[in-house]
Amino acid sequence: MTHLYLEQASEIKQIKTDQRQHRLLHTLYDATLEWQIEDNNLLISPRLLEILGYKPEDIPNQATQAYPELLHPDDIQPSWQKLQDCINKKTDYFINNQRIRHKQGHYLWFLGIAVLIQHNKSDPPVIFANAIDISQDKNLIQKLSEKEQQFEHIVSQVPGIIFQWYQKKNGERGFSYVSPRIEEVLQISPNEALNDWQTVNVHPDDKKGLEQSIKQSIVEQKDWNYTGRAILKDGSHRWLHGASRPIFVENGDVYFNGILMDITERHQLEASLEQKNQKLSLTNSELERTNQEIEHFAYAASHDLQEPLRSLMIYSQMLLEHSKEYGQFSDEASCILKAATRMRGIVSDILEFSNAGRIMHMQKHNPKDIIHAACENLEAIITEKNANISISELPESIFIDERLVLVLFQNLIANAIKYTTANTAPNVIISATLNKNAHQVTICIKDNGIGIPERYQQQIFDAFKRLHTRQEYEGTGIGLATCKRIVEKHHGKIWVESSGENEGSSFKFTLPIAEFLPIHS
């Protein structure tokens, strides 16, 4: 554009100063003015007057008077100095941006191209100038500047490095833009990165992966994502995660507009968590091994105690029979037999509790079949107590260990029958509710028994916790603890609901279901 202005200045300089040439000047360019230096006359073209909103009589015809009235105060001194330099022939022409006041009071920007014309020493010197209205361009530049400031402000708020990376078809590549945050994160100024992209010192172990990720993004035309390290000037390194979307240009060049996030702290935290998880995993493995050893010991000890207890019970029974015949030691023999019987029950329950922690064999089973099997095992007490067992609603299948869940139902049904008042026939109702979102079924075993006060409803699931004496109700205090262990092995939970004494109880527990099937009676 400057070259064009110089050509215009050369054309103006060739024009003679007679009246005909003046008229030619005023038609050659839309907005022109002429300053006749000797008599200080100022001639302004009609087009320039039209742009500024003036009539010829509105403007003084003396240049030295009109000049300060029309120009913006900040532009008077620099423009006047350039005019003087031209008059004093320090320069043949000058190009100047200046603001000229519109009649309505606002200022318009003009690009002025002025030349001093004096072909002979006898000719009076004249300055001819062409004025080009660049207000619209200035407004656009101002708006662009505001947008740039707005963009820089937004970029400064982003917690990462905004960048544009180019990779040309001829192999040339580098950054065409890098946000100022690069200095805070990588100790590199934006100019350093723009001049030489390799100032971003990628860790040697990550360079190959970075190159492959860029190549893969271009070949497959997909988003670029990569995590790697950059080495800083002080020798430390930062972990960065980059994300971008490639833009493909028709000439084969590729541009990546993206962001680099400093994830050093997150990476360190993840590494620390991973280390802790590994230690926790080792601890859990050791704990699991210890638990298995304890369970094995409890199982073996309980199992090995069965035979001595059986012998003790046999010999105490024989002693009791002989003591009745001879009239001696009958009370002692009776106490020994009761103690041996009670211990056998405890050992049996401990063995059952130990079995609840062993490896499970999960399969689909119909809960009705398991309940029927439990009732068959409890046939004696059901008959003795004249108990009624009714099954309300159950799913077609549950995903369980059959052996353990049989023990679960058997213990809960036995308790529902056992813990009733003397003159009350036990009534036990078994029902279920599907919870499809949790892939579980909630089973309820409701009885009409003695109930459980609220203050004990958590404690009853602890091992060896009894609410009643052995004279009132037999038992070892391990049954409900075993039930809790079985349910938890199936990743469920167990609880009891009761309004209080003699109000009955509802034992509820969750078990996994094999599939979502309708409940049927």
Side-chain angles (χ1 to χ4, degrees):
M1 184 172 284
T2 302
H3 178 68
L4 175 63
Y5 296 156
L6 293 176
E7 289 182 355
Q8 292 175 347
S10 177
E11 291 179 32
I12 293 173
K13 198 170 182 180
Q14 298 302 318
I15 298 175
K16 301 294 182 179
T17 58
D18 58 22
Q19 189 64 35
R20 181 182 60 80
Q21 291 162 340
H22 293 172
R23 289 195 298 272
L24 178 61
L25 178 66
H26 289 295
T27 57
L28 181 60
Y29 297 106
D30 285 340
T32 59
L33 56 84
E34 172 186 325
W35 179 20
Q36 298 171 351
I37 298 173
E38 285 188 356
D39 54 14
N40 199 26
N41 285 335
L42 181 65
L43 302 176
I44 300 178
S45 70
R47 176 57 182 153
L48 182 54
L49 290 172
E50 179 186 353
I51 294 173
L52 294 172
Y54 295 108
K55 295 179 180 179
E57 60 268 22
D58 295 334
I59 298 178
N61 59 7
Q62 295 294 298
T64 52
Q65 183 182 353
Y67 210 70
E69 289 185 10
L70 293 177
L71 259 63
H72 190 282
D74 294 342
D75 297 338
I76 293 174
Q77 179 58 35
S79 296
W80 186 257
Q81 184 61 49
K82 290 185 178 182
L83 280 171
Q84 293 301 314
D85 290 345
C86 194
I87 293 171
N88 296 327
K89 298 185 178 180
K90 291 182 179 180
T91 178
D92 291 339
Y93 66 92
F94 70 88
I95 299 174
N96 189 38
N97 288 340
Q98 56 192 3
R99 288 160 286 184
I100 301 178
R101 184 169 56 84
H102 191 276
K103 187 175 182 179
Q104 294 180 355
H106 61 277
Y107 287 89
L108 299 179
W109 277 97
F110 286 88
L111 174 65
I113 308 169
V115 294
L116 176 67
I117 298 177
Q118 187 180 22
H119 292 288
N120 299 307
K121 291 183 178 181
S122 58
D123 294 335
V126 177
I127 287 183
F128 290 101
N130 178 33
I132 302 174
D133 184 0
I134 59 170
S135 299
Q136 189 173 6
D137 294 341
K138 279 287 186 178
N139 289 336
L140 290 175
I141 291 172
Q142 177 64 27
K143 289 180 180 178
L144 179 61
S145 176
E146 291 173 358
K147 292 293 183 183
E148 287 179 349
Q149 291 177 6
Q150 184 180 12
F151 172 75
E152 291 298 337
H153 175 70
I154 293 172
V155 165
S156 69
Q157 303 303 310
V158 175
I161 304 168
I162 305 297
F163 70 90
Q164 183 182 73
W165 167 272
Y166 64 86
Q167 186 143 325
K168 296 188 176 181
K169 189 176 181 180
N170 62 8
E172 183 184 347
R173 57 182 179 168
F175 291 107
S176 50
Y177 174 81
V178 180
S179 66
R181 193 172 288 273
I182 192 172
E183 195 155 10
E184 175 186 334
V185 177
L186 297 180
Q187 301 175 358
I188 301 170
S189 70
N191 284 337
E192 286 179 295
L194 293 174
N195 293 333
D196 182 5
W197 66 270
Q198 295 189 72
T199 54
V200 179
N201 189 8
V202 180
H203 193 283
D205 294 343
D206 298 334
K207 286 183 178 180
K208 185 177 179 180
L210 175 62
E211 294 291 345
Q212 288 177 344
S213 68
I214 295 173
K215 183 179 179 180
Q216 184 177 10
S217 177
I218 294 174
V219 171
E220 298 181 8
Q221 297 189 9
K222 68 176 186 179
D223 290 356
W224 173 76
N225 283 279
Y226 187 72
T227 300
R229 291 159 291 180
I231 301 175
L232 277 57
K233 292 178 179 179
D234 61 7
S236 63
H237 71 267
R238 309 292 292 177
W239 279 93
L240 301 175
H241 177 74
S244 176
R245 176 163 294 179
I247 299 173
F248 297 89
V249 185
E250 291 183 359
N251 63 5
D253 296 345
V254 183
Y255 288 84
F256 289 86
N257 297 324
I259 185 170
L260 292 171
M261 296 294 295
D262 182 1
I263 60 167
T264 305
E265 291 184 5
R266 189 183 79 184
H267 189 274
Q268 290 172 345
L269 180 60
E270 289 174 349
S272 176
L273 287 175
E274 178 64 25
Q275 190 176 35
K276 290 179 180 178
N277 285 337
Q278 290 178 357
K279 290 182 179 179
L280 183 61
S281 179
L282 291 174
T283 302
N284 287 339
S285 298
E286 183 66 21
L287 182 61
E288 181 68 21
R289 185 185 63 80
T290 302
N291 286 339
Q292 289 176 358
E293 289 177 354
I294 292 172
E295 289 173 4
H296 178 74
F297 172 78
Y299 177 81
S302 302
H303 184 271
D304 292 346
L305 282 173
Q306 295 277 12
E307 186 57 34
L309 282 172
R310 189 179 299 112
S311 298
L312 181 60
M313 290 177 67
I314 291 172
Y315 286 115
S316 61
Q317 182 67 40
M318 292 172 60
L319 179 60
L320 180 60
E321 292 174 358
H322 284 291
S323 64
K324 288 179 180 179
E325 182 178 348
Y326 295 105
Q328 293 180 330
F329 307 115
S330 60
D331 292 340
E332 290 84 348
S334 179
C335 288
I336 294 171
L337 181 60
K338 288 179 180 178
T341 303
R342 189 164 59 250
M343 181 168 287
R344 184 179 183 185
I346 293 173
V347 170
S348 178
D349 285 348
I350 291 174
L351 185 61
E352 191 173 81
F353 183 80
S354 176
N355 282 333
R358 298 173 73 84
I359 297 175
M360 299 194 302
H361 301 282
M362 305 290 286
Q363 288 182 332
K364 292 181 183 180
H365 292 280
N366 189 324
K368 271 190 172 183
D369 295 339
I370 299 175
I371 293 172
H372 289 320
C375 290
E376 288 177 4
N377 294 341
L378 297 171
E379 184 177 359
I381 190 173
I382 291 174
T383 303
E384 178 188 343
K385 294 283 190 175
N386 194 27
N388 176 55
I389 313 293
S390 62
I391 302 173
S392 178
E393 295 178 337
L394 291 176
E396 291 182 357
S397 64
I398 51 179
F399 194 63
I400 56 164
D401 182 296
E402 181 184 20
R403 174 181 55 86
L404 293 181
V405 173
L406 174 61
V407 173
L408 172 66
F409 277 112
Q410 190 167 303
N411 283 354
L412 292 176
I413 295 172
N415 282 354
I417 296 171
K418 179 168 62 173
Y419 291 101
T420 55
T421 56
N423 299 320
T424 303
N427 185 35
V428 182
I429 301 173
I430 303 173
S431 61
T433 303
L434 279 177
N435 183 353
K436 294 185 177 181
N437 292 332
H439 291 207
Q440 288 181 326
V441 60
T442 299
I443 297 176
C444 175
I445 299 180
K446 184 178 181 180
D447 63 52
N448 62 337
I450 61 175
I452 301 171
E454 185 177 356
R455 64 182 181 275
Y456 296 124
Q457 290 177 9
Q458 295 291 333
Q459 300 177 27
I460 58 174
F461 294 102
D462 296 337
F464 301 107
K465 182 65 179 180
R466 293 179 55 87
L467 303 184
H468 308 279
T469 64
R470 291 188 178 88
Q471 287 72 26
E472 293 176 301
Y473 298 98
E474 293 183 357
T476 61
I478 300 178
L480 287 178
T482 302
C483 291
K484 180 181 179 183
R485 194 172 197 192
I486 291 171
V487 171
E488 290 178 347
K489 287 284 284 185
H490 286 82
H491 303 287
K493 60 180 182 177
I494 185 170
W495 68 100
V496 64
E497 296 174 359
S498 177
S499 300
E501 292 185 12
N502 300 318
E503 296 294 332
S505 302
S506 294
F507 279 84
K508 296 182 178 181
F509 54 93
T510 58
L511 292 174
I513 55 178
E515 52 191 346
F516 299 129
L517 296 174
I519 293 178
H520 64 80
S521 301

